[in-house]
Amino acid sequence: MDDRSYMERALELARRGTGQASPNPLVGALVVRDGDVIAEGWHERCGAPHAEAMALGKAGDRARGATLYCTLEPCCHNTPGKRTPPCTDAIIRAGVARVVCATLDPNPLVSGGGVKKLEDAGIQVEVGVDAVEARKLNEPFFVWVRERRPFVHMKVAQTMDGRIAAASGDSQWVTGIEARTEVHRLRASCDAVLIGSGTVFSDDPSLTVRHVEGRNPIRVILDSELRTPPEARVVTDGAAPTIIAHAARDAGAADRAAALERPGVETVQLDSYGGIADLSGRDRPARGEPAEEPARFKRVTASAVPAASGMSGSGTGRNAGFSSERPRGAEASRAPESPRAPEPSRTSEPPGEPERPRAARPGLDTGGRVAIEELLDVLGARDITSVLVEGGATVFTSFLAAGCVDRLSVFFAPKVLGAGISAIGDLGARAMSDARELVYSEVRRFGEDLLVTGLFDPDRIYDGLGPVRKVETHVYGTH
């Protein structure tokens, strides 16, 4: 086996932490000596030993003179509150001769420092083996640890002519069971799933994980006018915490919020803008630049939620060392009922429950809309590293118009409706040159449906993460 083959195995191990390690990254590690894998490890969950430490602990004295493969640069800091010692120290003590890591860690407390510490100790280090796959695996962490806002993954299921529902609003089902199962896998991998209030009205979805094993994500409802019915499933079923983000300031807003509030359900009042995500004139840092502690957080009002809801975090672990005023690092201690607890919350699928949201009905969210970037700031401050945006059309358009989508995944069903509800509205493009292009695009097949997925700005996500040793090419394939 060569370096690439060993790294592929390390990536397989890293994926075992999906849905449990957040807000820490997914990391896998192998200890190899004389061509034999003598120990393996992965980061099982937030607060557990890191992958490198697990593998080295299993290897014991056999690690001396061996090669360590790890999917992310080993951590090298020991900031106050960090639960585990630096992995670089363990590697040096174990007598490892060579370290091969897929990519650098963008955490400012690590980024390149782990490699330097190992090289200063006389250990040979190579970076860039299977870097593309390693970076794709940790896109949410790479965005969150540098920008303190979640990675936004937008998922659309549509017909070949771009319809997410028929003119009547019926959308069951646009895609087949194979594609819908993949969507549930995506849900299980994300910290939160987001829909608009129109979808709540039309479908009353639970937004839980079905068809696959996994943790239910936090439900986020974008509800500008705070019109979510108190009897909606996302309010009453208790399957996962629910955040209802709104911009309502009318006389009845407080009463409507009170009717929704209960353990595990929170209403959050944010700034609003007229029209769809009108962000013109906002005094914000360019995306990708470090953001200061924003003063606008002081204007956000949120109803109190019992500590058991697990909607807050504290700064420790791989990502520790940021603002002590508002700690938001990884490996935060959480109450047992937290959605990030080791035991995932699952629910069975009631007969006939909608699988994916339909488009929001016209007119439900008129007037000022929730400020998308402010909502992402608030979610990022709560250690929510990834959000799966599932609809409807108004929400899709708002996120795209705001420039707040990192990855777009579109499932195409081999169907044509003609009249129906379009997935995306007017984004202001007047020429083909105005279109936004996906980069690192990939095409996969699920049953009779095709998935096209890609990033809008990979340079912003991957900048400063070190070299890619081998050029990767994504090809057409089946699943």
Side-chain angles (χ1 to χ4, degrees):
M1 294 175 66
D2 57 9
D3 286 347
R4 175 71 181 276
S5 299
Y6 291 124
M7 191 61 72
E8 286 177 349
R9 174 57 183 166
L11 288 166
E12 290 178 8
L13 294 169
R15 294 186 183 97
R16 295 184 180 182
T18 299
Q20 300 297 329
S22 176
N24 280 355
L26 300 173
V27 184
L30 301 176
V31 180
V32 177
R33 183 168 185 171
D34 298 328
D36 294 325
V37 177
I38 60 176
E40 299 180 335
W42 67 93
H43 190 43
E44 294 179 324
R45 64 185 181 277
C46 186
H50 292 177
E52 304 94 322
M54 177 189 288
L56 291 171
K58 293 178 179 178
D61 292 340
R62 293 177 297 167
R64 187 164 301 279
T67 296
L68 174 70
Y69 293 86
C70 48
T71 59
L72 189 68
E73 177 184 13
C75 66
C76 59
H77 63 99
N78 197 14
T79 51
K82 189 173 186 289
R83 294 183 181 183
T84 56
C87 289
T88 49
D89 291 358
I91 294 169
I92 294 169
R93 285 196 306 271
V96 170
R98 178 173 177 251
V99 172
V100 180
C101 58
T103 183
L104 296 179
D105 186 339
N107 185 342
L109 296 171
V110 180
S111 192
V115 169
K116 183 178 185 304
K117 188 171 183 178
L118 294 174
E119 289 179 335
D120 288 347
I123 297 174
Q124 179 186 351
V125 181
E126 183 166 356
V127 179
V129 176
D130 225 353
V132 170
E133 286 303 313
R135 293 172 184 181
K136 183 178 178 181
L137 183 66
N138 276 312
E139 287 169 350
F141 173 73
F142 292 163
V143 169
W144 178 80
V145 78
R146 289 197 286 199
E147 298 187 24
R148 283 308 189 233
R149 56 93 181 168
F151 178 85
V152 176
H153 187 167
M154 178 181 291
K155 181 275 302 179
V156 180
Q158 65 179 38
T159 61
M160 296 299 290
D161 55 340
R163 307 300 186 184
I164 60 175
S168 65
D170 177 48
S171 63
Q172 297 182 30
W173 303 109
V174 175
T175 55
I177 185 61
E178 296 89 348
R180 299 201 304 272
T181 299
E182 174 65 8
V183 171
H184 281 269
R185 189 195 66 77
L186 290 175
R187 276 188 193 174
S189 70
C190 289
D191 293 339
V193 58
L194 183 148
I195 61 171
S197 59
T199 299
V200 176
F201 272 92
S202 62
D203 288 352
D204 191 21
S206 65
L207 301 178
T208 53
V209 172
R210 303 180 296 279
H211 303 305
V212 299
E213 293 292 314
R215 173 201 63 178
N216 287 333
I218 295 171
R219 284 95 58 104
V220 181
I221 311 302
L222 203 58
D223 184 4
S224 299
E225 296 180 352
L226 198 57
R227 298 180 62 184
T228 298
E231 64 273 15
R233 282 195 182 112
V234 293
V235 177
T236 62
D237 65 12
T242 297
I243 300 172
I244 302 174
H246 70 96
R249 286 173 171 78
D250 60 273
D255 291 339
R256 296 199 301 278
L260 293 167
E261 292 166 3
R262 62 201 69 194
V265 179
E266 178 181 8
T267 61
V268 179
Q269 186 185 68
L270 302 173
D271 286 345
S272 66
Y273 304 117
I276 295 179
D278 179 8
L279 300 179
S280 59
R282 292 292 288 175
D283 183 17
R284 299 183 184 273
R287 298 190 71 190
E289 294 181 2
E292 298 178 357
E293 291 293 323
R296 63 181 177 279
F297 272 97
K298 300 176 183 178
R299 301 199 301 274
V300 175
T301 59
S303 61
V305 174
S309 69
M311 290 187 183
S312 61
S314 58
T316 56
R318 274 190 191 262
N319 315 327
F322 292 88
S323 170
S324 59
E325 278 184 32
R326 190 163 54 117
R328 298 166 294 184
E331 295 179 354
S333 59
R334 293 178 169 85
E337 293 84 359
S338 166
R340 302 193 197 284
E343 288 297 325
S345 171
R346 304 183 188 95
T347 60
S348 59
E349 182 178 12
E353 182 180 350
E355 190 74 34
R356 62 164 306 280
R358 298 173 187 163
R361 294 185 300 179
L364 280 177
D365 288 332
T366 58
R369 301 186 185 279
V370 170
I372 301 298
E373 287 196 359
E374 182 173 12
L375 171 62
L376 296 178
D377 287 342
V378 170
L379 297 179
R382 296 166 182 236
D383 289 353
I384 294 175
T385 67
S386 56
V387 175
L388 182 65
V389 176
E390 293 203 27
T394 301
V395 172
F396 290 152
T397 305
S398 293
F399 269 81
L400 287 169
C404 290
V405 178
D406 297 297
R407 176 174 287 277
L408 175 62
S409 294
V410 181
F411 290 86
F412 290 92
K415 303 174 182 178
V416 175
L417 270 173
I421 299 174
S422 297
I424 299 167
D426 185 9
L427 296 176
R430 296 297 176 260
M432 193 59 67
S433 58
D434 296 330
R436 297 183 63 193
E437 296 184 11
L438 293 176
V439 185
Y440 290 174
S441 60
E442 178 182 354
V443 180
R444 298 169 65 190
R445 184 168 182 168
F446 294 88
E448 295 300 314
D449 307 312
L450 289 180
L451 166 65
V452 179
T453 182
L455 298 169
F456 280 115
D457 190 1
D459 290 340
R460 181 181 55 79
I461 299 173
Y462 296 158
D463 182 53
L465 295 180
V468 176
R469 194 175 81 173
K470 181 179 179 181
V471 175
E472 307 289 342
T473 303
H474 293 292
V475 298
Y476 290 81
T478 59
H479 179 81

